[in-house]
Amino acid sequence: GAVVSQHPSWVICKSGTSVKIECRSLDFQATTMFWYRQFPKQSLMLMATSNEGSKATYEQGVEKDKFLINHASLTLSTLTVTSAHPEDSSFYICSARRDVGAVQYFGPGTRLTVL
Amino acid sequence: GQQLNQSPQSMFIQEGEDVSMNCTSSSIFNTWLWYKQDPGEGPVLLIALYKAGELTSNGRLTAQFGITRKDSFLNISASIPSDVGIYFCAGPPSNFGNEKLTFGTGTRLTIIP
């Protein structure tokens, strides 16, 4: 089956620093990757849609200058949380799909804690 | 925006019992997906439904795509301890070309020893 990995699985950082999270599709090429955020005991909320070679599309209310997304290849997308603050602490999950209309496969998530 | 409501919000059952949960939408969906999320992990796809009325099984799991296209149901038969987790329905709204998933509110399943 399709496998998506994330790195790191967890990270703790100081307020004001930047954190980069990687999402890789291991056994398929992903034309599109998605980034979600999940707060405790809540559902997944889409943050942005990332297409290889083009700018990401952000959901309403998500600051594009704070959450920088780069989709440099068909197997790698990165999310950088810039100038992180404690309220950015959350579980960040990526997903990837092969083609338009294909099922999304999710990564294992990255837990970010900002002190 | 789209909203998917899941019911029940949580379930406490004994091992061996059957489980039923549902997901309702305020608008039409063309695809229904059911995911399971274990603590600290990403969601894992269980079943995908693509046609109104469709009934699909995956082992002890059975899911149905509602005729109105505004709801879906997931049943788990003879529950076992590894069924514990949060179950999410999800789908892309029916707008042509819309590829974004909307997730339901989740049903948390707990098995009482």
Side-chain angles (χ1 to χ4, degrees):
Chain A
V3 179
V4 177
S5 70
Q6 283 184 239
H7 178 81
S9 55
W10 59 269
V11 56
I12 301 172
C13 69
K14 292 183 179 180
S15 185
T17 61
S18 294
V19 174
K20 180 185 284 188
I21 302 170
E22 292 185 350
C23 176
R24 293 181 185 272
S25 55
L26 298 183
D27 54 354
F28 67 99
Q29 292 188 323
T31 56
T32 304
M33 291 184 172
F34 302 85
W35 287 96
Y36 295 81
R37 182 167 50 182
Q38 185 179 31
F39 291 107
K41 298 193 176 181
Q42 292 189 22
S43 188
L44 282 76
M45 296 299 294
L46 180 65
M47 298 175 67
T49 301
S50 168
N51 290 297
E52 186 265 339
S54 62
K55 290 184 179 180
T57 303
Y58 291 81
E59 294 300 296
Q60 192 173 9
V62 178
E63 300 174 57
K64 63 179 181 180
D65 294 329
K66 179 169 183 63
F67 299 98
L68 302 178
I69 292 172
N70 186 313
H71 194 154
S73 76
L74 286 172
T75 59
L76 173 64
S77 176
T78 61
L79 168 68
T80 301
V81 183
T82 63
S83 187
H85 289 97
E87 58 265 30
D88 297 324
S89 298
S90 188
F91 194 49
Y92 291 86
I93 309 171
C94 73
S95 71
R97 61 157 175 76
R98 290 181 174 88
D99 300 300
V100 175
V103 172
Q104 291 182 33
Y105 293 94
F106 285 80
T110 296
R111 183 161 301 285
L112 170 63
T113 302
V114 185
L115 303 177
Chain B
Q2 309 294 339
Q3 190 169 5
L4 294 179
N5 294 309
Q6 289 186 240
S7 177
Q9 190 175 29
S10 59
M11 303 182 73
F12 297 84
I13 62 167
Q14 291 188 321
E15 185 176 348
E17 286 187 32
D18 296 342
V19 172
S20 291
M21 61 187 78
N22 66 65
C23 179
T24 59
S25 167
S26 56
S27 59
I28 290 173
F29 276 63
N30 288 331
T31 300
W32 285 100
L33 306 170
W34 283 94
Y35 287 89
K36 177 176 182 275
Q37 185 179 29
D38 290 331
E41 298 288 333
V44 174
L45 181 66
L46 299 174
I47 292 180
L49 302 162
Y50 299 103
K51 194 165 58 175
E54 179 181 353
L55 184 71
T56 297
S57 294
N58 178 7
R60 293 177 297 105
L61 277 62
T62 302
Q64 184 161 26
F65 193 139
I67 292 293
T68 65
R69 295 166 63 193
K70 290 185 177 182
D71 57 9
S72 180
F73 306 87
L74 176 69
N75 296 315
I76 305 172
S77 62
S79 59
I80 60 177
S82 61
D83 292 335
V84 167
I86 304 175
Y87 292 80
F88 290 103
C89 61
S94 62
N95 307 10
F96 178 74
N98 192 325
E99 57 184 358
K100 297 185 286 190
L101 287 183
T102 297
F103 273 79
T105 49
T107 293
R108 182 182 296 269
L109 179 63
T110 303
I111 293 185
I112 306 168

